[in-house]
Amino acid sequence: MTTTEFPDIWHLEEHGRLRIGSAGISWKALEGEKRVNVPASEIKWAEWTRVARNYQLKIGLKDTWKRESFAGFRREVGD
């Protein structure tokens, strides 16, 4: 299983590390214990958007109206 890690990503107002793999998406705050885990089976859609000087990943969850947003992806990742 291959996992890609992004060490400098924002979720809401918190700074953390994001991992994306075949099992899903996981984000953990650099300070504190806040975590966001989204299993691949719960992801309904994903959207890659350019915002300000960087990129943002939004994902929609199945069976709910809930969305998760992760920002701070550098330009090299988006190209």
Side-chain angles (χ1 to χ4, degrees), residues 4-35:
T4 303
E5 184 172 321
F6 302 93
D8 193 23
I9 301 299
W10 292 86
H11 179 263
L12 302 175
E13 299 289 320
E14 297 190 57
H15 192 223
R17 179 179 58 217
L18 181 78
R19 290 182 180 168
I20 301 175
S22 60
I25 297 173
S26 178
W27 177 88
K28 182 182 182 294
L30 293 178
E31 296 181 10
E33 295 299 315
K34 183 163 183 184
R35 293 174 183 260

Side-chain angles (χ1 to χ4, degrees), residues 32-52:
E33 295 299 315
K34 183 163 183 184
R35 293 174 183 260
V36 175
N37 294 309
V38 182
S41 61
E42 293 298 313
I43 298 173
K44 183 175 183 178
W45 55 266
E47 178 181 85
W48 185 253
T49 309
R50 179 150 168 77
V51 291

